[in-house]
């Protein structure tokens, strides 16, 4: 990311560009429409035709083939949006890898502060929804320094970080219940089986299990060639260790690590240096531009930082296209959102 002064001066330049290429909301809509049309994102919603006619600045197009009308922003991130010029400014700022707070964005564009926040938030949500499945998950504890704004989730008369404490308590509680309800029989390794062999067998049995499809001991035995008696012993041990679970009928499944277990296993000191370094980068951007934020919406702020840091994924044109692909984000969805127990960041 650029130094703050360079970031801010480039944002000023983007605003000047927007004012010259799109002096009105209608002209800004034309810029969006042009991007969507170039990327095959403006079909007629009645017949799928791409032959749509629209007068400059108008929100309605008419299909040449079926003759029906289309709202051009319908089912897109910009559905029912006013202040399209501000949306264009926001998209170009994010695409350029720059960062801006809601209040600074309101001053820049002259829109109301709440509108400014909502525009940036909509783009952040759309970006957050593109987070890869294998994004790194970190505890909010790693980001403690910036979690200091009250939200609807903060208990009365408590510090905003209490939200994180409550999440952690719940995770520990969920885990202790899991342990208490778990099986407490002591399983003896079948006699006459060498301990090392047994451990090897257990690993082979574990490799056969999946979280979705259950397997009986007989099926595992057939697949691995290991005697059923040993497979049964292995499955017992795996179940005891919380790595497998069974259902009535004796089918065994692989346990996916619960959030609580992950929390208990996550020790910041054990996180890879690359993850800690990356978390620090996210933290420093939020610290610099937003100062302090609430735990509740933190994941969306992190997504906005991802956009600024990951210049390969979020380069030129990316946000303009995303605004044509992503469904509308109703206000209710923004208001009720609560960041997950584990926050996702992308190592980039
Ligand atoms: Zn049509």
């Amino acid at each position: 990311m650029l130094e703050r002064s360079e970031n801010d001066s480039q944002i000023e330049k983007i605003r000047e560009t927007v004012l010259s290429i799109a002096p009105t909301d209608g002209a800004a809509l034309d810029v969006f429409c042009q991007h969507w049309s170039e990327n095959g994102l403006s079909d007629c919603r009645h017949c799928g035709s791409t032959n749509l006619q629209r007068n400059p600045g108008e929100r309605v197009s008419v299909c040449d083939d079926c003759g029906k009308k289309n709202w051009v922003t319908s089912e897109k991130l910009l559905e029912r949006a006013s202040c399209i010029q501000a949306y264009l400014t926001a998209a170009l700022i994010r695409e350029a890898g720059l960062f801006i707070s809601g209040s600074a964005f309101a001053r820049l564009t002259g829109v109301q502060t709440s509108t400014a926040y909502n525009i940036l938030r909509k783009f952040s949500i759309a970006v957050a929804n593109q987070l890869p499945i294998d994004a790194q998950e970190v505890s909010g504890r790693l980001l403690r320094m910036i979690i200091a704004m009250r939200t609807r989730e903060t208990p009365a008369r408590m510090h905003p970080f209490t939200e994180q404490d409550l999440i952690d308590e719940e995770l520990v509680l969920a885990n202790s219940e899991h342990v208490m309800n778990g099986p407490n029989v002591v399983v003896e390794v079948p006699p006459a089986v060498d301990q090392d062999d047994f451990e090897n067998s257990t690993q082979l049995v574990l490799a056969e299990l999946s979280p979705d499809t259950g397997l009986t001991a007989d099926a595992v035995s057939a697949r691995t060639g290991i005697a059923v008696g040993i497979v049964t012993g292995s499955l017992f041990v795996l179940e005891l260790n919380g790595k497998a679970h069974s259902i009535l009928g004796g089918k065994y499944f692989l346990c996916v690590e619960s959030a609580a277990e992950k929390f208990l296993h996550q020790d910041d000191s054990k996180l890879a240096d690359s993850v800690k370094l990356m978390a620090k980068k996210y933290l420093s951007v939020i610290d610099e531009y937003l100062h302090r934020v609430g735990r509740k919406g933190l994941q969306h702020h992190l997504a906005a930082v991802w956009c600024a840091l990951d210049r390969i994924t979020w380069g030129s044109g990316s946000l303009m296209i995303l605004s044509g692909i992503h469904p509308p984000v109703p206000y209710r969805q923004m208001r009720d959102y609560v960041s997950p127990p584990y926050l996702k960041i992308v190592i980039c």
Side-chain angles (χ1 to χ4, degrees), residues 44 47 63 66:
C44 170
C47 73
C63 176
C66 73

Side-chain angles (χ1 to χ4, degrees), residues 8-23 25 83-90 92-93 105-111:
D8 292 358
S9 92
Q10 291 213 14
I11 285 176
E12 288 291 339
K13 281 183 199 148
I14 285 177
R15 182 61 183 167
E16 284 166 23
T17 306
V18 168
L19 290 175
S20 78
I21 61 167
D25 283 331
C83 310
I84 306 281
Q85 196 190 52
Y87 276 88
L88 179 60
T89 310
L92 297 183
I93 287 173
F105 187 65
R107 285 193 299 277
L108 181 78
T109 56
V111 301

